[in-house]
Amino acid sequence: MFSLLLAVIYAAFISLGLPDALLGSAWPTMYRVMNVPVSYAGIVSMIISCGTVISSLMSDRAVRRLGTHLVTVISVGLTALGLFGFSSAGAFWQLCVWAVPYGLGAGSVDAALNNYIALYYRSGHMNWLHCFWGLGAMAGPYIMGACLTGGYSFGAGYRVVFFIQLALTIVLVLSRPLWKKTPAGEAEKTGGKSFLRRVLKMTGAPVTMLAFFLYCALEGTTGLWASSFLVLRHNIAAESAASMASLFYIGITAGRFLSGFISDKLGDRRMVSIGIVCVLFGTVLLFVPVEFSAVAGLVFIGLGCAPVYPGLLHQTPVRFGAENAQAVMGMQMACAYVGSMTMPAFFGKLSDLLGMQIYPVILMAFAALLAFAVWNANRLTLDRK
């Protein structure tokens, strides 16, 4: 029964990734249909992100009251509702309305499932699950692109993903007996003693939250501006730069697949350290004024990022105790989303002033600060145990 439940959770992680890159791939068509400036994608993205942060912060209370299974069902259902709304939207204000359930559906399920895996499954599964998220994130734009090149509207792409999410919602509803056969209920009850307002008072919690913020700032900034860096600093054609920049995400996905085989043997702490060293090496390669070195640098940064996020997540119950894990997990996810929401935009403004040559400088700064935050988190939490 446990293995069947794990298969359901793997499917849920694919579904988490599917909607994440849809807006970016569909927007070049959407903004023309809706007759709005191209920059308005930022408004929709901000609404989605704010909803995700709010639901992440509420995940502890939601799981305590409803349980991981029901929170997952409701969250995936909300995401499906948002996708259906996007598929039928004909005006920009409608996108803004449907972006609310779209965003609210993502945060709680992400925090709840990551905590569930951290509590009851080994580290390898955490890496593989996030690898499956990457597969979903890559499949979303492919589905949208296939619909658009096939002569269909962007609404058709959203509808395809909506039906996938709807099917998963039904599977999750039917999987309820599987969840009852796990020890989750006991942990969810004991979690009632932990409240979000107390999380930051825990030893090592603030610096751990900072680590999540910095990791997602690093990943989000690297991914968003990689193509621009290759074009503006190395004079690579835009079409070729887009393909080369995708190697960063391929590196993350492949790295997490490989990490799943060795993380149990090496341990989360060592995997995170190896990953950060790999990222720092990749940022050094970006300084070399050679095209191959820049591309190799992006690959190394992707491979280095791969074990960091899953490793930090999987350490949560060890750092703070199973009874506090869900509350801490919600805060960690919220900090992560804030990092990915704000720092890539901040870099864009900074590059307007200083030029794209600061790209490797900023990435190295993020990586160095991340290393410092992780070291302090280990010193304050793991080293005391």
Side-chain angles (χ1 to χ4, degrees):
M1 295 292 265
F2 242 70
S3 59
L4 186 55
L5 174 59
L6 192 59
V8 172
I9 296 175
Y10 269 88
F13 265 79
I14 294 177
S15 80
L16 276 172
L18 275 172
D20 282 3
L22 279 180
L23 181 64
S25 58
W27 189 248
T29 300
M30 293 174 72
Y31 86 89
R32 292 188 177 94
V33 172
M34 298 185 179
N35 195 29
V36 294
V38 66
S39 61
Y40 274 34
I43 298 174
V44 181
S45 178
M46 187 71 72
I47 295 171
I48 294 172
S49 297
C50 286
T52 303
V53 170
I54 291 170
S55 60
S56 295
L57 293 174
M58 296 299 294
S59 64
D60 176 48
R61 183 173 298 179
V63 170
R64 283 191 283 112
R65 291 188 176 183
L66 304 175
T68 303
H69 170 255
L70 193 52
V71 167
T72 304
V73 171
I74 294 172
S75 297
V76 175
L78 279 173
T79 304
L81 178 64
L83 290 166
F84 176 78
F86 269 53
S87 73
S88 58
F92 180 74
W93 68 267
Q94 293 173 344
L95 288 180
C96 294
V97 170
W98 290 112
V100 175
Y102 199 125
L104 288 174
S108 288
V109 66
D110 205 359
L113 288 180
N114 276 300
N115 185 59
Y116 194 88
I117 293 299
L119 285 170
Y120 304 118
Y121 291 95
R122 57 188 178 86
S123 178
H125 285 299
M126 183 69 85
N127 281 279
W128 285 327
L129 284 163
H130 282 271
C131 172
F132 271 60
W133 173 88
L135 294 176
M138 288 190 293
Y142 177 80
I143 292 171
M144 182 62 71
C147 289
L148 293 176
T149 56
Y152 298 97
S153 68
F154 68 85
Y158 275 106
R159 270 192 295 277
V160 171
V161 181
F162 158 71
F163 282 118
I164 295 174
Q165 296 288 98
L166 181 62
L168 178 63
T169 304
I170 295 171
V171 170
L172 286 168
V173 170
L174 297 176
S175 71
R176 181 172 177 78
L178 301 178
W179 299 80
K180 289 183 176 180
K181 293 188 178 294
T182 67
E186 182 179 346
E188 288 161 3
K189 289 177 184 177
T190 57
K193 297 180 180 178
S194 177
F195 299 92
L196 291 177
R197 64 176 175 268
R198 294 176 52 194
V199 168
L200 291 178
K201 294 182 180 180
M202 297 178 187
T203 302
V207 72
T208 301
M209 304 305 158
L210 178 62
F212 277 88
F213 174 89
L214 289 167
Y215 170 79
C216 283
L218 169 69
E219 181 186 303
T221 303
T222 304
L224 182 61
W225 296 103
S227 292
S228 299
F229 173 73
L230 293 174
V231 171
L232 297 176
R233 293 297 296 168
H234 292 276
N235 297 315
I236 298 172
E239 297 80 6
S240 299
S243 299
M244 293 176 182
S246 69
L247 293 173
F248 166 67
Y249 292 105
I250 294 173
I252 292 180
T253 304
R256 285 176 179 166
F257 177 75
L258 295 173
S259 295
F261 292 102
I262 60 176
S263 59
D264 293 316
K265 190 170 294 186
L266 296 180
D268 293 320
R269 189 172 176 176
R270 191 173 297 173
M271 290 295 295
V272 171
S273 298
I274 292 171
I276 293 175
V277 170
C278 189
V279 169
L280 286 167
F281 177 68
T283 61
V284 171
L285 291 178
L286 293 181
F287 283 96
V288 180
V290 177
E291 177 182 320
F292 175 78
S293 180
V295 174
L298 291 173
V299 173
F300 272 101
I301 293 174
L303 289 171
C305 283
V308 175
Y309 193 61
L312 290 175
L313 288 171
H314 197 259
Q315 286 177 308
T316 303
V318 177
R319 291 183 188 277
F320 302 102
E323 70 279 7
N324 300 315
Q326 186 63 69
V328 175
M329 189 69 75
M331 284 290 288
Q332 288 176 167
M333 302 304 295
C335 291
Y337 288 125
V338 171
S340 60
M341 180 173 61
T342 58
M343 289 298 100
F346 170 76
F347 174 83
K349 293 295 184 182
L350 200 61
S351 66
D352 285 341
L353 298 173
L354 303 177
M356 192 54 68
Q357 68 267 18
I358 65 166
Y359 181 71
V361 177
I362 296 299
L363 296 187
M364 179 173 282
F366 282 149
L369 290 171
L370 175 61
F372 180 75
V374 169
W375 177 79
N376 273 282
N378 291 339
R379 180 176 60 85
L380 293 170
T381 56
L382 297 178
D383 287 347
R384 73 184 178 196
K385 296 184 183 296

